[in-house]
Amino acid sequence: MALAFDEYGRPFIILREQESKSRLRGLDAQKSNIAAGVAVSRILRTSLGPKGMDKMLQSPDGDITITNDGATILEQMDVDNQIGKLMVELSRSQDYEIGDGTTGVVVMAGALLEQAERLLERGIHPIRVAEGFEISSRIAVDHLEQIAHKFDFSATNIEPLVQTCMTTLSSKIVNRCKRSLAEIAVKGVMAVADLERKDVNLDLIKVEGKVGGKLEDTELIYGIIVDKDMSHPQMPKQIEDAKIAILTCPFEPPKPKTKHKVDIDTVEKFQTLREQEKKYFDDMVQRCKDVGATLVICQWGFDDEANHLLMHRNLPAVRWVGGVELELIAIATGGRIVPRFQELTPEKLGKAGLVREKAFGTTKDRMLYIEHCANSKAVTVFIRGGNKMMIEETKRSIHDALCVARNLIRNNSIVYGGGAAEISCSIAVEAAADKYPGVEQYAIRAFADALDSVPMALAENSGLQPIETVSAVKAQQIKENNPCCGIDCNDAGTNDMREQNVFETLIGKQQQILLATQVVKMILKIDDVISPSEY
Amino acid sequence: MAVERLFKDEATEEKGERARMASFVGAMAIADLVKTTLGPKGMDKILQSTGRGHSVTVTNDGATILKSLHIDNPAAKVLIDISKVQDDEVGDGTTSVVVLAGELLREAEKLVGSKIHPMTVISGYRMAAECARSALLDRVMDNKDDADKFRLDLMRIAMTTLSSKILSQDKEHFAKLAVDAVMRLKGSTNLESIQIIKKAGGSLKDSFLDEGFILDKKIGLGQPKRIENANILVANTAMDTDKVKIYGARVRVDSMSKVAQIEGAEKEKMREKVQKIIGHGINCFVNRQLIYNFPEELFADAGILAIEHADFDGIERLALVTGGEIASTFDNPESVKLGHCKLIEEIMIGEDRLIHFSGVEMGQACTIVLRGASFHVLDEAERSLHDALCVLSQTVNDSRVLLGGGWPEMVMAKAVDELARKTPGKKSHAIEAFSRALLAIPTTIADNAGLDSAELIAQLRAEHHKEESNAGIDVITGSVGDMAELGISEAFKVKQAVLLSATEAAEMILRVDEIITCAPRRREDRM
């Protein structure tokens, strides 16, 4: 009880308003936490693998999201439970760090929690369980390192990368054209990759979507697409060899930041002011023209007069272009963003081979394509699809594929997918368990069992007999000493993942195991939950 | 130990079979809702808005109906979305796409009920959709090279599209209107340059296409009502008080006389501006913004027709037809391109006076004047005409044409059936189901026309068993007829979009096995 007595026997309050708070302690707390974690992971369990199902989420505003991306599902559902939120965080950190495997990590954590509960019931102290898990996660990660393969790719041979991206995409709704999307993702990443430094800046890849058309029309554009049109309807719609002035100053009279007033008290002043205003507009446009720009892209709006002057001087212009897009255009065209007209020089202009406006469908949707840029280090993936939800889901899938390709460029080690890596780790952990004296041994065995749950979920979702299939694969792995055996989800007739070309990145898998173990350890250590009750 | 609460209050979660059931039911309800509007004998719906005025719309356009519905079922929202996209992308077939998606789901429900995994159904559907598409591709006709035939194709497509709408009585008249208007665009899909003016009164038959341009505005007082060989300056500039735009400028004076002086200067400035405009050598000036009395008077003095407050689209179109540029500064009269037309006059339509520009240089834009008994009729006529225009403009770009009257569905169903026979495994059930769903469209057309659909479809199937059959449903006589002879055509692009987006949507809904609904955002009651 959160009540203590002082030396005179008077009670004093340790926990304020404790009757209005609900409190769980000891084993009850751990069990309720575990139950919450398992409940979250159970939601995601059916989304795992190429035959996994999608979830439909309705947001508070009534918008619909259909997805099977773990991170998105968890982020969009209204989780109120504290432990549930921890699981959401877990999936999100996997998303930030790796970008793929967000479902797997939650399923893994759920399995570990289930195993832990059984151990707690036997009376093993939670800390011992946590330590056992920690030891086994290290064994598993080391084992992954051993069974990993380096695989070679180069700028000309991107086939292995495409294969890996296809594994990622095959569990999404877009798997109808996974081949072409995987190629788009890999080519996009290769275009912006810095192979020397082994790094990829994903910010340089813009993913833009537009409803209409079909998924097959999705394309990779070596340039930028801006969802804007020319400021004046009569400006030319196509510019070749464009020299682009990228401005962050408006084509409007200046607004000094200090407060000021211009008093007009005579007719002369009124007239000079008028003259100045006219000259100001003229100067702005003339300056752009003088440096040789053939296209003006501006972050702000134009005055009507400026707009006409631009049109008049045959200088097409685009207004209200967002800051991020402006930066991308600057990177792609090799131009500099110019904050003041005075600083405009010919060197600061960006260059693009072709700028064109393209109309879509029957409405007046137009987009501006900036292509054949001086610096091809910025690309756009342009997604088409039958409806809004499809586009959104495709965006997420492409993002996952891009992340996978990037991870491979950073570290070209792979492990085999389809549950093969998990089964192999499970065998290794199981074998290592006997070497540890003490209670941890049980925890380590439990960890091995938990590792089995990922292939088991895969088999279950694919409509196979889970226990039978997993044990058969396990036996095969031990017998043939071949860590490439996995679950044959697609009914391809073989369970050698090397033949099926199902790969996953080594760092992705390692991260999954480490993150899941960490979260489970954290949950196990909690023995008191104090929460304010309903009000 | 059960978890007490995982989600926030009011958030709900539906799993497995229940979730699937909810989405099937929702999607089918939507499909059934619009089903009766399909085909030439489809019925209309009355929609009453809950907003102020309780305005009423009468329509049989699928997209319009679905857009106005307030739906809570997530799966139904997916269907509404595909209908909207179909409207934006090709303009027609908005009902068919929803009906087809609904039928696909209805068939899928049966399959799932007999314990076939949704993923198997999906892969079957995919194969079937691909096969159906290639079957259509095999049978398309392309008359792009032959201008006369192509025009005939366009006429037929327009008539087919219009026959299911309110305009069906005068479909030939309107089909001609629509084809003429689209041919003037010369391949551009920019439908904005076709202006539709609605004027109540008269009958639908009195609607006409005007080759020139009609602006729904009045001519300023005391200005000429008729100008021949007009030079037109199209402008977007302030003609009220030309404010000084430099920030922070204000007038501060110490005596009344100075106020008068400044006022005089302002007036002088306006006069100068007007003089500059007149200096362009024009006799007609059209401005997007207001023109105040003072400049208007000046224009009237110079014998120039000044039109104020033309809306933005009007200005753009006018600039397009007359070939002028939209000007905002007037210092270089020699380099501003002026628009020209042979004759500007005021005309009367019904009781309204409009300004008519005829003999324009560029023939791209045109105006369609719709006449009709009531606003509801006019609104619906506009929607129907819009559908026809969309389809035609898309067909001009992609000139592949198919026959109509349920013919494409029969062709696809036949090809899909053959595929089902060749495919081993459970998938073949799904492929068969796909062909049944395709047949639902001609069935619905026949049902809506009050015909014996079972009999007709059976006859159609038999006809299609022969190679290269052109059989379809002839709704007028209520029998199977040769579509090529009857001249019923549809655009390939529309059919393809219907097929692909319906399959995509069905696939999406099928993949769902769990629906999580967040607590709705609290809103002030505005009722």
Side-chain angles (χ1 to χ4, degrees), chain B residues 11-23:
Chain B
T12 55
E13 187 192 2
E14 282 176 77
K15 283 195 164 186
E17 288 303 313
R18 272 179 61 85
R20 214 166 280 141
M21 184 78 101
S23 44

Side-chain angles (χ1 to χ4, degrees), chain B residues 190-201:
Chain B
N190 189 0
L191 290 181
E192 281 161 61
S193 37
I194 300 176
Q195 189 190 21
I196 299 181
I197 291 182
K198 294 175 283 183
K199 287 281 167 214

